[in-house]
Amino acid sequence: MKKNKALKDESQRFIPVIKNISRSVREYKKPSLLAPAFVMLETIIECLIPWVMTLLLGVLEIASGRATNPDALLVKLCDFLTGGAENPNYMVLILEFGAVLMVFAMISLYCGIKAGKYTAIASSGFAKNLRKDMYYKIQDFSFSNIDKFSASSLVTRLTTDVTNVEMSYMMIIRTAVRAPFMMIFSMIMAFTINAEMALIFVAIAPVLAVGLIIIMTKAIPFFNRIFHKYDAMNESVEENIRGIRVVKSYVREDFEKTKFNKASDDVRQNFTKAEKLIALNTPLMNFCTYSGIILIFVIGSFIIIRSGNTLLQWTELQSFMTYSFQILMSLMMLSMIMVMIIMSVASAKRISEVLNEKSSIVSPENALTEVKDGSIAFKNVAFKYNKNADRNSVENISVEIKSGETVGIIGATGAGKTTMVSLIPRLYDVTEGSVTVAGEDVRRYDLDALRNAVAMVLQKNVLFSGTIKENLKWGNKNATDEEIFEAARLSQAHEFILARPDGYETVIEQGGANVSGGQKQRLCIARALLKKPKILILDDSTSAVDTRTDALIRQGLKTYLPETTKIIIAQRIASVQEADKIIILENGTISAVGNHEELLNGNKIYQELYYSQNKSETDKGGEN
């Protein structure tokens, strides 16, 4: 009872999942309906063929004079088809039956081909739509939504999980229609031949059903765990490949191999346990199949011998055996479907989780669609990445930035610099307080309008596969060549681009693997400049370039975007000392605000940073 209740509860929880993912069928509804229609027609024909064969064998017996007790209905059928002739030409009748069988076989073949075609179209199309729907959904996710799932888990859901659901859908619209339809139709035909013998199937079916229920109940929890293990394994691979240079430079290959082997072994162990349960399906199916065949053969032979061919004839037993094979094969197919569904249940749930996820950051109703200027105000802002976190990442942040100002932000690693600026384009929403741009709370803006007005060159620079020109056009897809060249010159990227044989048509490998860290930073700055934003945020984006290049980039920003608010996060004092305002962050709070002279005269943290970074210059001056 407990097992049945558990399976029932699992089924009820799965119904919303089915409704959710079934929306992705869309334009593939027609092939999804045509496939089972052709399967049903194919099945009907296949079930009629043994019946026609029985008639043909009966005619052969009558024609040869071997029929000791011919079926009365068959005799009447022969009389009707031969016109009641005293010496009918049975050869013509046999040829007619043969022609009927040939036509049935051709129809069955045609239906099978059509069913296979529409099944392939429907299942692959459904999988395509699932991936598309998930991918589009992920594009709308906020950073917090992505943090919730993790990148490796989303990749697994888009690949392995969708493949499992695709295979299951393929079986559902074809095999899951064929198996029960053939079983029911064959059962009807079997009952028309001999009702008592057909009861054998009624006795076998519950044995198989109970066995499958037990297997399903025990196997589903294992498959639920398996895909979480898959996520961990994919995360290990992704992390290793992304950081392969670090792994090799620290000679940590053995450590990474051990970590991967552990993750891989976790998957193996859970799969082994699940497969052990699923493997019970085959011996259970074979037991039911062979038991049914033996019972039919023994009981059928007994009836023929005892009744002298009156209750059952050998031709009917032969047809009955064919129908028994069809019924038992249908049961076997159903058991295979159940195995596939068990595997795909966990995948379908994981896909549904992504499709059901609501982005934590959305545009409001009647959203503002224009950002008038680049003025920014933080008002008593506090933020934590997780609502259950013990402390805020930043708190008590209050500062005003005028449009067109250049603002520097410095502080130790983990002080909250990146977190603070991420609140401006609503990559995250504040936990407390408010952030305003152009005098309006950022939560009142249309997301696209707000983010189009803000350009960020992130700490982790990312370039995409494609040419340099294509990457730069991310900032402005309609940018002219002259605009691209100008942005590249300002970011000090133009010269190294032209030094390459293909210039701006140079292909960037995945992740920018064929450019240096400094080149990558300069390309990302050029991309941001092409956007001509109201607010430009440089998050430690010149850390990989020399001080001279850094100074040239800052000088270019002044002339190219004089009205743009520029926020520069840096570790080097030289990168921010010319700023109109410098913010010092310490442990997530603002420690001090002022210009270079004010902070150098009155702030200990700034003084320590300045003198430690300029010590070598001071020493040189003393020697002279």
Side-chain angles (χ1 to χ4, degrees):
M1 287 294 290
K2 287 183 179 179
K3 289 177 181 177
N4 288 338
K5 186 178 183 301
L7 191 60
K8 184 179 179 182
D9 292 342
E10 187 70 29
S11 300
Q12 289 175 344
R13 287 194 294 269
F14 193 53
I15 289 172
V17 174
I18 295 173
K19 289 181 179 178
N20 194 17
I21 65 174
S22 63
R23 297 191 188 102
S24 297
V25 175
R26 290 197 296 277
E27 70 269 30
Y28 297 99
K29 285 180 182 176
K30 183 178 178 181
S32 294
L33 293 173
L34 286 173
F38 276 107
V39 166
M40 285 189 283
L41 186 56
E42 179 190 19
T43 306
I44 290 171
I45 298 299
E46 285 186 11
C47 290
L48 286 175
I49 286 174
W51 178 69
V52 176
M53 284 291 295
T54 302
L55 296 178
L56 177 58
L57 291 172
V59 170
L60 284 172
E61 281 203 317
I62 292 172
S64 63
R66 291 169 55 193
T68 56
N69 190 17
D71 185 77
L73 289 175
L74 181 60
V75 173
K76 288 181 180 180
L77 178 63
C78 289
D79 288 342
F80 174 76
L81 293 174
T82 57
E86 291 185 10
N87 296 306
N89 188 345
Y90 285 107
M91 183 56 67
V92 174
L93 193 58
I94 291 168
L95 290 174
E96 288 175 353
F97 272 107
V100 170
L101 286 172
M102 182 62 70
V103 170
F104 278 5
M106 294 300 293
I107 293 173
S108 177
L109 176 64
Y110 175 79
C111 291
I113 292 170
K114 284 292 186 179
K117 172 188 171 182
Y118 287 121
T119 299
I121 293 171
S123 59
S124 59
F126 174 53
K128 180 206 75 174
N129 282 348
L130 268 182
R131 291 190 189 96
K132 176 183 174 182
D133 293 345
M134 290 175 70
Y135 189 79
Y136 279 33
K137 190 78 175 182
I138 291 167
Q139 297 307 303
D140 292 331
F141 280 179
S142 66
F143 281 13
S144 59
N145 294 120
I146 294 172
D147 292 342
K148 174 183 174 181
F149 288 103
S150 84
S152 58
S153 177
L154 290 172
V155 170
T156 305
R157 292 167 200 246
L158 278 162
T159 52
T160 304
D161 289 327
V162 171
T163 301
N164 286 340
V165 171
E166 178 186 5
M167 294 299 295
S168 184
Y169 187 69
M170 185 188 298
M171 295 188 76
I172 286 170
I173 63 174
R174 188 173 188 182
T175 313
V177 172
R178 178 186 177 84
F181 203 77
M182 177 170 279
M183 184 172 66
I184 293 168
F185 205 92
S186 297
M187 193 81 79
I188 292 169
M189 297 300 289
F191 268 97
T192 59
I193 294 173
N194 191 289
E196 289 78 8
M197 288 211 330
L199 291 174
I200 293 170
F201 304 123
V202 178
I204 290 173
V207 176
L208 184 61
V210 171
L212 287 175
I213 289 171
I214 293 171
I215 292 171
M216 282 183 66
T217 306
K218 290 184 173 294
I220 286 175
F222 284 110
F223 283 107
N224 287 334
R225 288 198 291 271
I226 282 169
F227 291 105
H228 291 295
K229 301 293 184 182
Y230 258 129
D231 292 343
M233 185 174 69
N234 287 345
E235 187 173 359
S236 175
V237 173
E238 181 188 7
E239 186 179 56
N240 178 271
I241 293 172
R242 195 190 307 121
I244 193 66
R245 289 176 175 82
V246 177
V247 172
K248 289 187 176 298
S249 63
Y250 282 89
V251 196
R252 297 285 284 177
E253 291 92 341
D254 289 341
F255 173 79
E256 288 296 313
K257 288 175 184 176
T258 302
K259 188 169 72 172
F260 174 79
N261 285 339
K262 184 179 183 303
S264 181
D265 198 53
D266 284 343
V267 173
R268 179 196 62 79
Q269 286 178 4
N270 279 275
F271 249 124
T272 301
K273 291 175 182 177
E275 291 293 347
K276 281 180 180 178
L277 288 168
I278 296 299
L280 296 174
N281 174 68
T282 302
L284 176 64
M285 191 65 244
N286 288 338
F287 171 76
C288 293
T289 301
Y290 294 127
S291 297
I293 292 171
I294 291 168
L295 287 171
I296 289 165
F297 186 77
V298 171
I299 295 171
S301 300
F302 181 77
I303 292 172
I304 290 172
I305 293 169
R306 290 293 297 270
S307 66
N309 268 10
T310 56
L311 296 179
L312 185 70
Q313 298 187 15
W314 74 270
T315 54
E316 292 176 325
L317 178 61
Q318 190 172 18
S319 295
F320 202 93
M321 289 292 291
T322 302
Y323 287 124
S324 71
F325 270 112
Q326 288 180 341
I327 291 168
L328 294 170
M329 285 303 296
S330 298
L331 288 171
M332 185 173 286
M333 283 189 284
L334 283 173
S335 67
M336 290 170 61
I337 294 166
M338 296 307 293
V339 169
M340 193 64 228
I341 289 175
I342 290 170
M343 293 180 66
S344 63
V345 162
S347 292
K349 286 179 181 176
R350 285 159 54 83
I351 292 170
S352 185
E353 284 173 0
V354 175
L355 296 176
N356 280 333
E357 182 74 9
K358 303 291 184 185
S359 178
S360 59
I361 297 177
V362 295
S363 299
E365 292 184 10
N366 303 317
L368 299 173
T369 57
E370 182 185 357
V371 180
K372 294 179 180 178
D373 58 52
S375 60
I376 306 165
F378 288 81
K379 300 176 181 178
N380 300 315
V381 168
F383 170 76
K384 59 174 67 175
Y385 286 98
N386 190 318
K387 62 182 180 180
N388 298 318
D390 295 332
R391 60 184 296 272
N392 293 319
S393 297
V394 294
E395 59 185 358
N396 299 326
I397 301 292
S398 293
V399 66
E400 291 189 9
I401 302 170
K402 295 177 183 178
S403 183
E405 278 191 328
T406 298
V407 177
I409 302 177
I410 62 173
T413 302
K417 304 184 295 295
T418 300
T419 301
M420 178 180 169
V421 297
S422 295
L423 301 174
I424 298 171
R426 287 192 74 194
L427 298 181
Y428 295 97
D429 268 341
V430 297
T431 305
E432 298 174 21
S434 66
V435 177
T436 65
V437 170
E440 298 288 348
D441 192 310
V442 292
R443 289 169 290 193
R444 291 195 59 206
Y445 284 106
D446 175 78
L447 274 176
D448 288 346
L450 175 65
R451 290 174 180 172
N452 277 327
V454 180
M456 288 190 74
V457 183
L458 299 170
Q459 199 170 12
K460 295 180 180 179
N461 297 288
V462 176
L463 294 174
F464 297 90
S465 300
T467 64
I468 288 177
K469 183 183 287 187
E470 288 169 346
N471 268 276
L472 296 182
K473 279 194 170 186
W474 273 63
N476 178 4
K477 63 181 179 181
N478 298 316
T480 64
D481 286 349
E482 282 305 315
E483 288 174 325
I484 291 171
F485 299 157
E486 184 182 12
R489 287 191 192 100
L490 290 167
S491 68
Q492 307 302 307
H494 187 65
E495 289 184 10
F496 86 76
I497 294 172
L498 292 182
R500 290 176 174 255
D502 296 324
Y504 282 82
E505 298 302 323
T506 299
V507 175
I508 297 292
E509 294 177 4
Q510 187 177 21
N514 58 333
V515 291
S516 69
Q519 290 172 341
K520 190 186 294 185
Q521 285 186 338
R522 283 176 276 172
L523 289 173
C524 290
I525 291 171
R527 182 173 65 190
L529 292 177
L530 279 172
K531 201 173 182 182
K532 295 183 179 177
K534 295 283 197 309
I535 300 168
L536 174 64
I537 300 170
L538 303 177
D539 186 358
D540 208 13
S541 53
T542 57
S543 58
V545 301
D546 59 82
T547 54
R548 179 179 173 276
T549 303
D550 184 15
L552 290 171
I553 291 171
R554 284 185 280 112
Q555 185 60 38
L557 294 178
K558 280 185 181 180
T559 58
Y560 184 67
L561 300 171
E563 297 179 2
T564 294
T565 303
K566 294 169 278 291
I567 299 176
I568 302 171
I569 297 175
Q571 298 295 332
R572 290 192 296 229
I573 294 291
S575 298
V576 298
Q577 68 181 38
E578 295 177 5
D580 300 306
K581 189 180 294 178
I582 301 170
I583 300 170
I584 299 176
L585 283 181
E586 187 177 14
N587 296 323
T589 61
I590 294 178
S591 173
V593 179
N595 59 33
H596 172 69
E597 296 297 333
E598 291 169 345
L599 293 173
L600 189 60
N601 292 327
N603 186 271
K604 191 174 181 179
I605 296 174
Y606 192 81
Q607 290 169 352
E608 289 177 356
L609 282 170
Y610 179 78
Y611 289 120
S612 64
Q613 291 178 13
N614 291 276
K615 185 178 179 182
S616 58
E617 299 298 327
T618 305
D619 290 344
K620 285 179 183 178
E623 287 172 7
N624 292 333

